[in-house]
Amino acid sequence: MQVLSVTPEIFPLIKTGGLADVTGALPIALAGKGVAMRTLVPGYPVVMEAFKKKKAVYQYPLLQGGKASVHAVKIGELDLFVLDAPHLFDRQGGPYGTASGSDWPDNWRRFAALSQVGGDIAGGAISGYQPDIVHAHDWQSAMTLAYMRYGKAVGVPSLITVHNLAFQGQFGAGIFGELGLPGVAMQLDGVEYYGGVGFLKAGLQAAWAITTVSPTYAQEIRSPEFGMGLDGLINMRATDLHGIVNGIDVDIWNPATDKHLVANYSAETLEARGLNRKAVEDRFNLENDDSPIVCVVSRLTWQKGMDTLAAVVDGVVQRGARLAVLGSGDAGLEGSLLAAAARHRGRVGVVIGYDEALSHIMQGGCDAIIIPSRFEPCGLTQLYGLRYGCVPVVARTGGLADTIIDANEAALSAGVATGFQFAPNNGGALLHAIRRLVEAHARPAAWASIQRQGMKADVSWDKSAERYVELYRLLLSKRVA
């Protein structure tokens, strides 16, 4: 089965968040299940530098304002189509904006071009390659499905995965004339969205199937609270909506072999975590004692619930825990957490920024990790925590609710607890979870049971990849029918 994936990011080449982890891991997980996935990605500078031999398999004399070409390359285990369009993607800064953080004003044009190429490839533009299915990701590639719907690939099955419904790609109606779509597309059942053009909305409308990255999030986005204005459309497509939890790369995230750790360990040698714990204490200037270290590795934003945490840091310390924070984001939240670190020297430590190696050490040395998100489509951090015996403390929402078993009395008695859940956007509930955590940590046998149960959880891509294969087969059967 040939599947074309279209995405703005793919690990290890270009990454701003969990989307890249998914699009980089899924093709590898599918390879052993009879699915050959090729991925179309933009030719950002870092992507173009990753391969030397450049032989175009398709040329565009004019694509959204300039010449462009498509290159077929293999990088590591990934088969790629790279869209080389220097006028759109050869820029310094992030994939979506400048180094100062401002969005590129022509993002609509950049990702319309990516989507147009995706639609062309789906329609057979590249000699010798015809995908059976097209799989788009988020708003940046969602228009691929609109180009398919109104072009040669109308009969090719398609699906879109929504990694975060909050980011929708909404633009003014004035851009429609430059998209190269027929006039009929600018209607309510096409790309029109509140009088403008909605990239994600267009993909949701045109896709044969819609997936989100957890079953709970799939249900949450059907409500006005989480639907972000698209709940009406999503409810109309409810029979085509599927929630499939993400996995993680268990070779990269493996405490027994992780080269970032000071000491490697397994579920049978948890005592070796002590050396990693000491490294965390040193890096965050924390006192050395037996109290639990709870950590945060996150973007410091409203969605991630970091304002809820920042408001109760004093309470976290009062309940007997130490706190280590690694992240960056809203300046106000950064300032609030740094002020808390100044108030509680030795009990709270904050590092502003992102450090991949340090994030591994924190998972390998901290006792627990807090994820207080207001909404979380899937979340990967809690899966890393499970894998590393860093007990997740999570808001009861989205994929966090689906992947963590709360350490209530029944779960503890049955030996199945893997973490602690609490009500989202509720500082009191978060502090109650911290109190439960501190009490459990004071009982070494109970704490080790929670850690080992989490480390036993299957957080690999294997089951999730099977679910995608089943969905692909279902779509192919609809095409035949």
Side-chain angles (χ1 to χ4, degrees):
M1 188 190 309
Q2 297 288 332
V3 178
L4 173 67
S5 174
V6 187
T7 176
E9 302 179 28
I10 188 166
F11 181 85
L13 297 176
I14 181 77
K15 173 183 173 178
T16 66
L19 165 64
D21 289 313
V22 174
T23 56
L26 186 56
I28 298 168
L30 291 169
K33 302 181 185 299
V35 176
M37 177 174 277
R38 299 199 73 160
T39 305
L40 172 65
V41 295
Y44 308 113
V46 67
V47 176
M48 296 304 297
E49 291 166 6
F51 64 101
K52 302 300 181 185
K53 295 182 179 178
K54 296 176 173 59
K55 183 178 180 181
V57 293
Y58 197 78
Q59 301 271 9
Y60 287 90
L62 185 65
L63 177 70
Q64 288 296 338
K67 291 182 179 181
S69 57
V70 178
H71 301 266
V73 300
K74 187 173 179 68
I75 298 177
E77 297 180 77
L78 299 173
D79 285 309
L80 305 178
F81 288 125
V82 177
L83 172 57
D84 183 17
H87 62 294
L88 300 174
F89 300 114
D90 186 9
R91 304 176 182 183
Q92 297 304 308
Y96 314 122
T98 65
S100 62
S102 301
D103 287 347
W104 298 114
D106 62 343
N107 272 346
W108 67 269
R109 188 185 298 279
R110 301 169 76 225
F111 296 107
L114 177 70
S115 296
Q116 183 180 334
V117 173
D120 289 344
I121 295 174
I126 295 179
S127 178
Y129 180 75
Q130 176 58 58
D132 300 302
I133 291 171
V134 173
H135 189 162
H137 296 268
D138 275 355
W139 75 264
Q140 296 94 333
S141 60
M143 285 287 284
T144 299
L145 311 189
Y147 284 105
M148 291 170 61
R149 178 184 178 188
Y150 297 105
K152 295 180 180 179
V154 63
V156 177
S158 63
L159 71 155
I160 184 167
T161 295
V162 178
H163 298 264
N164 192 332
L165 196 68
F167 303 105
Q168 300 183 3
Q170 298 181 42
F171 303 99
I175 73 166
F176 179 76
E178 298 187 62
L179 294 177
L181 292 167
V184 68
M186 191 59 179
Q187 294 184 2
L188 183 60
D189 71 344
V191 305
E192 187 274 336
Y193 186 52
Y194 290 107
V197 176
F199 279 34
L200 181 59
K201 183 264 183 181
L204 294 172
Q205 192 84 51
W208 289 35
I210 300 166
T211 71
T212 68
V213 288
S214 72
T216 293
Y217 190 61
Q219 295 306 309
E220 286 176 342
I221 62 175
R222 297 180 62 184
S223 69
E225 180 182 1
F226 293 97
M228 307 289 179
L230 287 167
D231 48 290
L233 172 57
I234 291 166
N235 277 300
M236 287 176 58
R237 301 295 316 275
T239 57
D240 303 312
L241 179 63
H242 308 265
I244 303 175
V245 172
N246 287 336
I248 63 173
D249 189 322
V250 293
D251 292 325
I252 293 175
W253 291 93
N254 183 352
T257 59
D258 190 335
K259 294 180 180 179
H260 294 302
L261 299 184
V262 177
N264 294 114
Y265 61 94
S266 68
E268 287 69 44
T269 58
L270 287 172
E271 63 278 1
R273 296 181 91 253
L275 292 174
N276 300 314
R277 178 188 177 93
K278 180 64 167 59
V280 172
E281 290 171 338
D282 291 346
R283 182 66 180 84
F284 287 89
N285 297 312
L286 298 176
E287 296 170 356
N288 176 248
D289 60 36
D290 293 331
S291 64
I293 303 175
V294 295
C295 69
V296 170
V297 180
S298 176
R299 287 183 288 114
L300 305 180
T301 64
W302 178 89
Q303 183 220 316
K304 295 296 183 180
M306 287 300 135
D307 56 325
T308 303
L309 174 64
V312 299
V313 171
D314 295 347
V316 172
V317 174
Q318 290 166 6
R319 279 156 183 77
R322 291 171 289 166
L323 177 64
V325 178
L326 171 64
S328 62
D330 296 345
L333 290 174
E334 291 180 358
S336 178
L337 290 166
L338 287 168
R343 287 197 308 275
H344 300 287
R345 295 189 186 280
R347 308 305 295 175
V348 177
V350 176
V351 172
I352 298 299
Y354 184 70
D355 183 325
E356 182 75 16
L358 180 56
S359 74
H360 283 245
I361 293 172
M362 292 170 75
Q363 294 279 12
C366 293
D367 298 287
I369 184 161
I370 305 175
I371 307 162
S373 305
R374 278 183 168 79
F375 63 95
E376 193 64 67
C378 178
L380 298 176
T381 310
Q382 83 278 12
L383 303 183
Y384 303 146
L386 290 174
R387 180 85 166 139
Y388 279 58
C390 184
V391 176
V393 183
V394 303
R396 193 179 302 109
T397 186
L400 303 176
D402 289 331
T403 54
I404 303 302
I405 300 173
D406 183 68
N408 54 51
E409 288 188 17
L412 285 171
S413 296
V416 297
T418 61
F420 298 85
Q421 293 188 3
F422 61 92
N425 192 25
N426 186 320
L430 171 56
L431 289 178
H432 180 62
I434 294 296
R435 181 181 65 77
R436 291 199 292 142
L437 178 155
V438 172
E439 290 175 353
H441 186 263
R443 298 155 51 202
W447 188 257
S449 173
I450 297 172
Q451 288 179 295
R452 291 192 175 103
Q453 192 64 28
M455 294 177 79
K456 282 167 47 180
D458 183 0
V459 294
S460 73
W461 267 104
D462 191 59
K463 289 182 180 178
S464 300
E466 288 284 2
R467 289 285 313 280
Y468 278 111
V469 172
E470 291 171 6
L471 184 53
Y472 294 156
R473 288 174 179 156
L474 175 64
L475 296 180
L476 283 176
S477 72
K478 290 184 177 181
R479 180 182 190 178
V480 172

